[in-house]
Amino acid sequence: MTSESTERGRGLDLLRYHDFPIYTLTFARELTPAELLTRMGVIPETVAMRDLHDMSDDFGEDIFDDDEPVVSAATTGAWTWAWEEGGMHGLDERVQRSVSVGTEAVALHHNEKPMDVFAYTVDGDLVSYVNTLMPIALEGSDPERLGEQMRAAGLVPGESAELYGVLTLVENAFGIRLSGKQLIGEPRLSGQLRPLSDWPV
């Protein structure tokens, strides 16, 4: 029997069934793409509308740079998303606080360890945090706010995470949807992020 978290036809299936060895996705509610990139620390002179070919032409291998990663942003429903193919800026607490001021934000990170990280921040406050590299722990200022959805997604405290459990949590708790066309097929606002070392501590 197919479990809820591995069932096809869900909002983030692209991330389940395509080979992305590392990525960080940041979602913010009711921000424009320009606002989200600005809050994440984009270098203003690098911002433009680009498709994948334009990004490759303009940035080359810097697309996968982890110090000054290239980021692209667009809107899906009530949420605006920002995609880093090589960086992890979206997981930094300073970036999360900036992105979530006056709204709420969700950050997702995946790498090949394998490891998935989830962070939910509301108006600068880290409410819930999950790292699947270790048995699930309830972290954040109010992790039980999502406790029921976490357990339903196979993220049970003290146990190893269910495969794709973090994606299921984001789909079910926030209704986030992202298609392949949105992520890899459409032109979107993009630019390069300044190094995290430039952010105030």
Side-chain angles (χ1 to χ4, degrees):
M1 183 175 180
T2 304
S3 71
E4 181 183 28
S5 64
T6 57
E7 186 179 18
R8 286 184 180 265
R10 305 185 60 81
L12 297 174
D13 269 352
L14 178 73
L15 303 178
R16 290 181 173 91
Y17 304 117
H18 288 258
D19 182 22
F20 298 115
I22 181 171
Y23 63 81
T24 303
L25 270 165
T26 301
F27 297 90
R29 189 184 289 274
E30 304 294 353
L31 295 182
T32 67
E35 288 172 328
L36 178 54
L37 293 186
T38 297
R39 291 186 181 202
M40 292 184 70
V42 75
I43 301 169
E45 57 268 27
T46 68
V47 176
M49 287 293 295
R50 299 178 176 93
D51 60 20
L52 292 181
H53 295 294
D54 295 332
M55 281 191 275
S56 179
D57 288 343
D58 289 352
F59 298 112
E61 288 301 312
D62 285 347
I63 290 175
F64 306 103
D65 188 85
D66 59 1
D67 186 45
E68 297 182 43
V70 172
V71 63
S72 57
T75 299
T76 177
W79 296 86
T80 295
W81 54 269
W83 168 267
E84 301 170 60
E85 292 188 63
M88 297 175 60
H89 281 43
L91 286 187
D92 189 272
E93 289 188 17
R94 295 165 297 178
V95 175
Q96 292 169 19
R97 285 196 298 267
S98 174
V99 166
S100 67
V101 170
T103 185
E104 58 184 328
V106 173
L108 287 175
H109 172 73
H110 170 80
N111 63 47
E112 290 184 306
K113 288 186 178 180
M115 178 178 78
D116 292 293
V117 180
F118 161 84
Y120 174 50
T121 309
V122 179
D123 199 16
D125 177 41
L126 179 61
V127 173
S128 183
Y129 176 88
V130 170
N131 185 331
T132 67
L133 194 59
M134 56 199 75
I136 298 301
L138 296 180
E139 300 182 61
S141 65
D142 185 15
E144 272 299 340
R145 188 182 307 186
L146 300 175
E148 183 177 344
Q149 293 99 324
M150 287 175 60
R151 285 182 277 271
L155 302 173
V156 179
E159 298 183 7
S160 297
E162 184 175 337
L163 184 65
Y164 307 127
V166 166
L167 298 182
T168 299
L169 172 64
V170 172
E171 292 163 337
N172 292 349
F174 304 101
I176 289 175
R177 302 289 182 263
L178 191 59
S179 71
K181 182 179 180 182
Q182 288 172 307
L183 191 60
I184 61 179
E186 296 179 343
R188 52 195 186 265
L189 201 64
S190 61
Q192 199 158 15
L193 297 177
R194 60 190 171 101
L196 290 174
S197 58
D198 288 353
W199 285 71
V201 177

